[in-house]
Amino acid sequence: MPLSPVDRILRFAFSRIVTRGSLTILTASGARLIFGDGSGDPVIVRFTDKRAQWAFLMDADMQLGELFMDERFIVEQGTIYDFLCLVLREAQNETHPLPTRVIDALRARFRGFRHRNLPARSKRNVAHHYDLDGRLYGLFLDADRQYSCAYFEHPEQSLEDAQLAKKRHLAAKLLLRPDSRVLDIGCGWGGLALHLAAEAPAGNVLGVTLSEEQLEFARNRPGTRSQPDRVNFALQDYRSLNGTFDRIVSVGMFEHVGVASYGQFFRKCAELLDENGVMVLHTIGCSAVPGFTTPWLDKYIFPGGYIPSMSEILPEIEKAGLMVTDIEILRLHYASTLAAWRERFMAHWQHAAQLYDERFCRMWEFYLAAAESAFRYEDLVIFQFQLAKKNDVVPLTRNYIREHEQSKAKILQAANA
């Protein structure tokens, strides 16, 4: 039976991309399209209707996630993660078709307009994701609820240990003193703030968030209640803060600032940072040229979110009067983090479905799978910037980072012995 027009276009599109692996696409008309060299575990997917196939071909960045959520794109063998990994791995050196390139160019061109995150909009965007039922995050995060990239010191390290290693790594770069005044911008559920407070026993830490759910959790943690004079959390936009701090840290928050507000962010940080202070910014970054936020992710997961390239960040740091004293690029650490989150989420699927529904679970599975595959096969990394106002406030070599981490690890080992 001859292929329908949409089936022929689908075959043409995938034959240009998939040359390795084993991918089978079952079309709505009953055709069986086979791609790859047959190596690896087979992945079989199915479109339930022709409109779903056209939607995928016109704008896969937006439509694939929705089709998967609505069960119009079904994975018959393997998982959605397997499909995404196969396609992204194979598409690394492939030029996108002209219609896709035009859509991508328009999205990139208007990214500044799309991401003008004024205070009220910022709070709505944060609530969309972070004010979900807190029990959801308890299903897949570590006990400390670290919802950012872990730091894997070796491949076999557990998620819990890797998240602790991340906190040690950040603390080392902050060069905390016993009496440091610390600001945590976008403090999440408070775990990092409490870790930093333990390393600055005569100082104090302020964590700010726009999430009411996170604030309630952070304020009610035992470590917070036991030292109210040293650790505080506030529902506050960083732009409204006053005073100065010896140390500023921000982890997983800069992705929500919006490209149009980078200048304002760094100017405010410069205003808040003491003349002899140190700041560490940890953010997802793009190792390629500036791009755009995947529209499905913007609609369903992180409205207003944007992944910056290095070339978009550095000029704004310079204009704000800050200097970069260190830059580290963490590669594949987030892929390992997301793999652990995805495994835990899938193991607790039924609990998540009881909190929400099956469609929500498919949305969350697609989000975790797409993010992990992107960190493995596309240009997503983690940037860690260490910033200061003076060039003599941090040591001349990086030895101090490793020395700090090793000393803290030894203390923990002794305590657990």
Side-chain angles (χ1 to χ4, degrees):
M1 185 176 69
L3 296 177
S4 67
V6 67
D7 288 356
R8 287 200 299 271
I9 297 173
L10 198 65
R11 182 179 64 181
F12 174 75
F14 275 94
S15 64
R16 296 173 66 243
I17 296 174
V18 181
T19 59
R20 297 176 299 155
S22 178
L23 174 64
T24 300
I25 298 178
L26 308 177
T27 72
S29 60
R32 188 180 186 89
L33 309 178
I34 300 175
F35 307 94
D37 60 5
S39 61
D41 295 330
V43 177
I44 302 175
V45 299
R46 175 169 60 90
F47 287 97
T48 63
D49 60 273
K50 288 185 178 180
R51 290 180 61 187
Q53 292 177 219
W54 281 117
F56 173 83
L57 290 167
M58 292 300 294
D59 189 4
D61 283 340
M62 179 67 217
Q63 297 297 331
L64 178 59
E66 288 191 341
L67 294 172
F68 181 74
M69 291 163 59
D70 295 335
E71 297 187 290
R72 298 172 66 195
F73 177 87
I74 297 173
V75 182
E76 299 281 2
Q77 185 169 340
T79 66
I80 188 64
Y81 171 74
D82 298 328
F83 172 77
L84 291 169
C85 277
L86 191 156
V87 172
L88 291 184
R89 183 196 70 206
E90 291 294 283
Q92 289 179 92
N93 299 315
E94 181 62 39
T95 302
H96 290 168
L98 179 60
T100 301
R101 296 202 305 272
V102 171
I103 293 172
D104 288 354
L106 289 172
R107 284 173 174 155
R109 182 178 182 84
F110 291 103
R111 66 188 184 279
F113 176 78
R114 284 279 302 129
H115 300 289
R116 295 184 182 278
N117 289 330
L118 299 175
R121 183 178 183 182
S122 293
K123 191 172 188 313
R124 289 196 303 272
N125 289 342
V126 166
H128 178 91
H129 189 83
Y130 297 99
D131 283 347
L132 295 172
D133 191 313
R135 291 173 293 178
L136 172 70
Y137 294 100
L139 297 178
F140 66 94
L141 297 181
D142 64 302
D144 197 43
R145 294 207 181 184
Q146 290 295 305
Y147 194 28
S148 59
C149 178
Y151 184 63
F152 287 85
E153 298 166 308
H154 55 82
E156 294 76 28
Q157 194 166 24
S158 69
L159 177 64
E160 282 72 18
D161 286 347
Q163 290 291 12
L164 177 58
K166 183 265 300 291
K167 289 178 284 189
R168 281 198 300 258
H169 199 57
L170 292 167
K173 292 184 177 184
L174 283 168
L175 291 155
L176 294 169
R177 300 192 308 263
D179 61 347
S180 290
R181 296 164 295 148
V182 184
L183 171 64
D184 183 356
I185 302 177
C187 62
W189 288 275
L192 177 61
L194 289 170
H195 182 90
L196 299 179
E199 297 208 14
N204 57 77
V205 181
L206 172 64
V208 295
T209 178
L210 293 179
S211 167
E212 296 180 10
E213 286 282 339
Q214 289 183 334
L215 177 69
E216 182 179 2
F217 186 93
R219 281 181 169 173
N220 286 292
R221 294 181 67 140
T224 307
R225 294 201 304 267
S226 65
Q227 45 188 343
D229 57 329
R230 296 190 53 247
V231 183
N232 291 281
F233 295 99
L235 190 71
Q236 190 168 0
D237 193 295
Y238 74 94
R239 287 166 283 203
S240 67
L241 290 167
N242 296 305
T244 58
F245 299 85
D246 303 310
R247 302 292 185 262
I248 299 177
V249 66
S250 183
V251 177
M253 175 271 181
F254 191 71
E255 299 91 321
H256 304 284
V257 169
V259 65
S261 301
Y262 289 172
Q264 183 183 33
F265 176 83
F266 287 112
R267 288 193 301 272
K268 187 63 181 181
C269 289
E271 174 189 322
L272 295 169
L273 187 64
D274 183 82
E275 288 300 309
N276 295 304
V278 177
M279 174 178 175
V280 176
L281 174 67
H282 169 121
T283 179
I284 299 172
C286 174
S287 59
V289 297
F292 60 91
T293 301
T294 302
W296 182 87
L297 198 70
D298 183 62
K299 179 178 180 180
Y300 289 100
I301 307 297
F302 293 117
Y306 177 73
I307 305 304
S309 67
M310 189 80 76
S311 61
E312 293 174 298
I313 299 175
L314 288 175
E316 301 302 335
I317 292 174
E318 295 168 357
K319 292 175 187 175
L322 296 168
M323 76 169 52
V324 178
T325 52
D326 188 84
I327 298 176
E328 184 176 8
I329 312 296
L330 303 184
R331 296 163 293 103
L332 296 175
H333 288 263
Y334 218 154
S336 297
T337 305
L338 285 155
W341 290 348
R342 182 170 59 86
E343 179 182 354
R344 294 178 180 204
F345 178 81
M346 298 303 291
H348 293 94
W349 179 286
Q350 293 304 320
H351 294 94
Q354 290 171 5
L355 294 176
Y356 290 96
D357 56 33
E358 294 285 336
R359 186 174 187 268
F360 177 92
C361 290
R362 289 191 294 272
M363 177 183 74
W364 212 257
E365 180 188 3
F366 187 86
Y367 150 53
L368 294 172
E372 182 184 346
S373 56
F375 272 98
R376 291 197 188 280
Y377 297 110
E378 293 196 312
D379 48 27
L380 295 185
V381 295
I382 292 294
F383 297 148
Q384 283 191 350
F385 294 91
Q386 186 190 60
L387 309 175
K389 292 183 177 179
K390 297 179 179 179
N391 65 5
D392 61 352
V393 297
V394 300
L396 297 182
T397 72
R398 281 180 163 180
N399 295 342
Y400 71 97
I401 298 175
R402 190 62 179 161
E403 290 168 359
H404 177 277
E405 291 174 326
Q406 290 177 338
S407 68
K408 296 300 180 182
K410 288 179 180 177
I411 292 172
L412 180 64
Q413 290 172 357
N416 293 333

